[in-house]
């Protein structure tokens, strides 16, 4: 699993509440990514990071923010959750010369 | 904007049969990835294709890349039930390795 831990694994929350998802890696990878997976869309990139305090937007970044204050942790925050953010969220790291991304186990988020 | 299209979206096939999944993408890219996902699980890396004409094989799966046609194929030979899963292709853009995924092909292998 490339040493990636996502927490929590499941979360149910209410519309309008803030939510933070955590991605933790133990192998000092520089690049980390957050994706969301929805039926009919495959995976879509939300934000990514290329180092401590270095982040950038992906395809579907509206409504999300990220932070990376140390190499091992990449946090995804929904400032005010909406029902459209109900999804499965995957964190990934990039590894090796072929830049393969390896994924965590995912977080299933339901916003009611 | 890069678009990645996979077809078919759903494939039901009998054990022992051969079939191909297609992945078309709209702009130039220097690498293409194939992943497998079992229901309720994470994604597992299968192949990375780095150049035109690249072919990679693992067991009953073989992936190829034609960068001029912007097409990758995932060929399944003599399917077995254990291959039932959803398969995604993903195309790399830029130095940050941002991936754009296809919508996936759900493969069901029946007896």
């Amino acid at each position: 699993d490339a040493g990636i831990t996502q927490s929590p694994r499941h979360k149910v929350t209410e519309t309008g509440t803030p939510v933070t998802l955590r991605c933790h890696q133990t192998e000092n990878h520089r690049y980390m990514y957050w994706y969301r997976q929805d039926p009919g869309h495959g995976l879509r990139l939300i934000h990514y990071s290329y180092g401590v305090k270095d982040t950038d937007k992906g395809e579907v970044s509206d409504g999300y923010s990220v932070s990376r204050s140390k190499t091992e942790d990449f946090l995804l925050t929904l400032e005010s959750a909406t029902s459209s953010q109900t999804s499965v969220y995957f964190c990934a790291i990039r590894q090796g010369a072929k830049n393969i991304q390896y994924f965590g186990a995912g977080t299933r988020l339901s916003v009611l | 904007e890069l678009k990645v299209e996979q077809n078919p979206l759903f494939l039901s096939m009998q054990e022992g049969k051969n079939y191909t999944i297609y992945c078309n993408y709209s702009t130039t890219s220097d690498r293409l990835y194939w992943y497998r996902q079992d229901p309720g699980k994470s994604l597992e890396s299968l192949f990375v294709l780095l150049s035109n004409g690249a072919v990679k094989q693992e067991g009953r799966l073989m992936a190829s890349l034609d960068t001029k046609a912007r097409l990758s194929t995932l060929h399944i030979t003599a399917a077995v039930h254990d291959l039932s899963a959803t398969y995604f292709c993903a195309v790399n853009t830029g130095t940050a390795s941002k991936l754009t995924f296809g919508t996936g092909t759900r493969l069901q292998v029946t007896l």
Side-chain angles (χ1 to χ4, degrees):
Chain A
D1 64 355
I4 305 167
T5 304
Q6 289 187 235
S7 59
R9 293 292 317 280
H10 302 272
K11 186 169 182 68
V12 180
T13 192
E14 293 184 348
T15 299
T17 59
V19 176
T20 295
L21 308 183
R22 181 186 185 224
C23 179
H24 178 77
Q25 54 122 338
T26 59
E27 299 179 359
N28 207 34
H29 298 290
R30 179 183 172 198
Y31 281 84
M32 299 183 74
Y33 308 82
W34 277 108
Y35 293 87
R36 61 178 287 173
Q37 182 175 28
D38 304 290
H41 288 279
L43 276 78
R44 292 179 291 175
L45 181 65
I46 305 171
H47 282 279
Y48 67 99
S49 170
Y50 47 98
V52 173
K53 292 186 171 38
D54 292 321
T55 65
D56 205 349
K57 296 179 180 179
E59 178 188 356
V60 290
S61 60
D62 287 349
Y64 302 94
S65 62
V66 290
S67 66
R68 193 166 178 202
S69 59
K70 45 187 178 177
T71 300
E72 57 265 37
D73 288 324
F74 190 31
L75 303 181
L76 176 70
T77 297
L78 292 65
E79 302 289 350
S80 178
T82 67
S83 58
S84 65
Q85 294 176 312
T86 293
S87 187
V88 180
Y89 292 85
F90 286 100
C91 172
I93 57 90
R94 190 183 85 172
Q95 181 174 329
K98 296 179 182 179
N99 293 342
I100 297 173
Q101 290 186 25
Y102 295 92
F103 289 80
T107 294
R108 185 173 296 275
L109 176 67
S110 296
V111 183
L112 305 179
Chain B
E1 179 190 344
L2 173 61
K3 292 192 183 301
V4 181
E5 293 183 351
Q6 280 184 242
N7 65 84
L9 298 183
F10 177 72
L11 177 56
S12 180
M13 54 190 300
Q14 288 183 316
E15 277 201 336
K17 299 292 188 182
N18 303 332
Y19 210 81
T20 300
I21 298 170
Y22 298 88
C23 174
N24 290 91
Y25 54 99
S26 60
T27 63
T28 303
S29 173
D30 63 350
R31 57 192 68 196
L32 186 140
Y33 302 83
W34 285 96
Y35 287 88
R36 168 183 171 144
Q37 185 180 38
D38 292 307
K41 303 293 186 182
S42 185
L43 282 78
E44 173 191 353
S45 174
L46 293 175
F47 302 108
V48 53
L49 302 167
L50 301 176
S51 61
N52 188 44
V55 177
K56 293 288 182 71
Q57 182 161 8
E58 180 74 32
R60 300 174 188 274
L61 300 178
M62 183 175 71
S64 65
L65 179 62
D66 180 343
T67 58
K68 294 178 182 177
R70 297 176 185 162
L71 171 68
S72 180
T73 61
L74 181 66
H75 187 73
I76 303 146
T77 302
V80 293
H81 180 71
D82 285 352
L83 291 179
S84 296
T86 299
Y87 294 85
F88 292 95
C89 64
V91 177
N92 174 79
T93 53
T95 55
S97 302
K98 294 184 290 183
L99 293 182
T100 300
F101 281 80
T103 50
T105 296
R106 186 159 77 91
L107 173 65
Q108 183 178 62
V109 181
T110 58
L111 295 172

